[in-house]
Amino acid sequence: MNFIFSEIISGVIGAIVGGIVTAIFTNRKSIRTRLKSWWIGNKKIRMSISYLFSIRDDEGNYLLIKGNRIQQYQPIGGVYKYFKSFQPIKSKLEVTDEINKNFYDPDDLRIYLPGKNLMKLIEWFKTGENRETVITREFIEEIIAPGLLNITDLENIDFEYIHRKESGLRFSDHFEKEEYLNYDVFKVSFSKEVLARLKKKKKKNPNFLWVSQADIDTKNTYIEEQAIQIGEHAKYITTC
């Protein structure tokens, strides 16, 4: 009887320990971020929360757009915006807006805050409250406004949420600060007629470029033998 009881206890303990180890391994990036943000304390970090569109044609190529802040081609998409109702939380968590004028847009979730408040801001973002949740604004600005498609085409386009990619806290050489980046990736599906029109209109607009998986993997491609840089975050749209 004692042997059976010991076996049961050992099994329970083993299951608990195994569960703890699995949980730590699965959430290791989140745990590292939490510990590092706590260690940073009152020191300001930079944070950017955005969404990207994975637009793929029938040949397996991905549509990128020329960046207006960095000389590169990158996924279509943009930074989420917050609403006026965010102000109390903004004050409580000591959030300030982007200070680099080349990256600043009003109400963007491109912000600075003390490291100690990072996890609270992440939890707030996940609730969807006080912020933009409809993701077609940037699609309209970057695809429809330039004339690649018409506003009525939205009736034949689906936006499917695929995954969220988080960088964890890492030092940014460009901004000279610890930085946390979040990307929500949406797969865009078109009717055959809309996709055909998109590909036709793109040929007349040099700000857009179809690139292969290999191009994205190597972070560059060529246009008339001229090397063109591809944004590192483009890799997130190829796993859809």
Side-chain angles (χ1 to χ4, degrees), residues 3-56:
F3 173 77
I4 295 175
F5 182 74
S6 297
E7 287 294 305
I8 292 174
I9 294 298
S10 297
V12 170
I13 293 174
I16 292 173
V17 172
I20 292 173
V21 171
T22 300
I24 291 174
F25 180 79
T26 303
N27 299 289
R28 60 192 183 281
K29 180 179 285 188
S30 177
I31 293 171
R32 284 198 301 268
T33 299
R34 186 178 294 275
L35 292 174
K36 192 172 183 179
S37 63
W38 175 81
W39 179 258
I40 290 172
N42 289 317
K43 188 176 180 180
K44 289 270 187 170
I45 64 171
R46 184 177 186 272
M47 185 177 192
S48 177
I49 312 179
S50 57
Y51 54 94
L52 309 175
F53 296 117
S54 177
I55 301 175
R56 186 178 179 183

